[in-house]
Amino acid sequence: MTHEHLVVADLGGGVWRLGLDRPDARNALSSSLRVAVSDAVDRLSGRDDVGALVLSGAGSVFCAGFDMAEFRRAAEDPDFGVELWASSDRFHHTLLRCPVPLIAALNGPALAGGFDLATMCDLRIAQPGVWFARPEVAFAVPLYEPLRDLVGGALARELCLTGRRVELDEALRVGLVNRVAPEAGALEAALELAREIAARPRDVSRATKAKFVTAAGVSGRATLAL
C-alpha cells in the first residue's frame, strides 16, 4: 500500500485514514495514485478489525480531480490510455462497492473527479472554504449516479449540465455535505464520527453498508456509464 502521494494511517479503534498527499498538484488523482487508493481500500476492507475509513486531502484543496496531463499523454499513447481507463474503472468501483463506511474529510474545494470522490463516500464532513464544481463538463462526460443518489435527479442534472459552483451553505442544505466543522476542523470531526461508527458492531455496519451498495446498482459498469 506504499505510494509517495498516499498516507495510510492506523488511528486505532478500527479507524484508518487514507490521505491524498500531493498538495503541489492539488491532490490530482494520477493513475498510480488511483491504483494505490484502490489497493488500500481493498486490503483494509477485507480486514474484520477495520470499522471505518476516512479520506482526506493535504493542503488547501481536497482534490482537483484526475491528472489532466495523463489525458494528454493517453491521446498520444493508446497503451497508456487503456491503463488510464482501467485504473479509473477500478477506482470508482472499489470506492462505490467498499463494504466499510467511508467518510470524506473535506478541507477545501472538491473539483471534477474530486467532486466524484466526495460523492462516492458515505458521509462528507466539510470545513469553511469548501465548495464543489465540475469544470470538466465543458469537455468531458461527468459522473451522474453517485451525485443523484445524494441530491436527487433535478439538481444532479443541473450540476452535470452546467458545472456551476456549489457553495458550502447550499451543499449543506441539499445534502451534499452532512456536517460543517469549525475552521480547519474537518479531519478531526470526520475522525470523531469514524470512531463513533467503528465502535458499533462491525457486522451491523457492514450489513447496512451492503444495502447502500446494492441500491447503487453499479456492478460491472464502466466509469463513463455511471
Side-chain angles (χ1 to χ4, degrees):
M1 292 192 297
T2 301
H3 189 280
E4 61 177 330
H5 294 137
L6 180 66
V7 175
V8 181
D10 179 359
L11 302 181
V15 175
W16 286 71
R17 179 172 73 90
L18 304 181
L20 305 178
D21 191 21
R22 199 185 178 196
D24 292 345
R26 303 192 301 171
N27 297 318
L29 294 163
S30 65
S31 293
S32 65
L33 181 52
R34 292 196 299 274
V35 169
V37 171
S38 300
D39 286 346
V41 171
D42 277 344
R43 180 171 175 179
L44 292 172
S45 63
R47 293 175 45 165
D48 292 337
D49 61 338
V50 175
L53 301 176
V54 174
L55 277 71
S56 64
S60 60
V61 175
F62 171 65
C63 179
F66 282 19
D67 191 329
M68 296 307 298
E70 291 194 339
F71 285 93
R72 292 189 289 272
R73 176 183 168 189
E76 301 175 355
D77 183 349
D79 289 338
F80 178 72
V82 171
E83 177 185 327
L84 184 153
W85 285 111
S87 70
S88 175
D89 289 344
R90 183 188 171 206
F91 175 73
H92 288 90
H93 281 278
T94 297
L95 290 169
L96 287 169
R97 300 168 68 182
C98 176
V100 176
L102 294 172
I103 302 172
L106 304 174
N107 59 302
L111 309 172
F115 191 154
D116 295 333
L117 175 57
T119 65
M120 291 189 293
C121 292
D122 299 298
L123 300 170
R124 286 148 299 284
I125 309 301
Q127 65 192 39
V130 167
W131 50 275
F132 301 82
R134 311 190 86 155
E136 80 277 21
V137 303
F139 57 86
V141 178
L143 264 66
Y144 169 69
E145 293 188 21
L147 178 61
R148 181 200 61 183
D149 195 39
L150 299 178
V151 303
L155 182 56
R157 291 180 189 192
E158 178 191 346
L159 298 179
C160 287
L161 289 172
T162 68
R164 72 169 176 83
R165 177 165 163 162
V166 181
E167 302 292 351
L168 183 55
D169 58 346
E170 180 184 4
L172 180 63
R173 186 174 69 251
V174 301
L176 184 53
V177 163
N178 298 96
R179 301 180 187 177
V180 176
E183 192 77 35
L187 179 57
E188 185 50 47
L191 292 174
E192 181 179 351
L193 182 57
R195 295 184 193 104
E196 178 184 334
I197 292 171
R200 295 172 180 164
R202 305 276 162 80
D203 58 339
V204 173
S205 292
R206 292 194 178 217
T208 301
K209 181 63 191 284
K211 292 185 177 184
F212 305 165
V213 173
T214 299
V218 299
S219 180
R221 296 167 61 194
T223 298
L224 292 182
L226 296 175

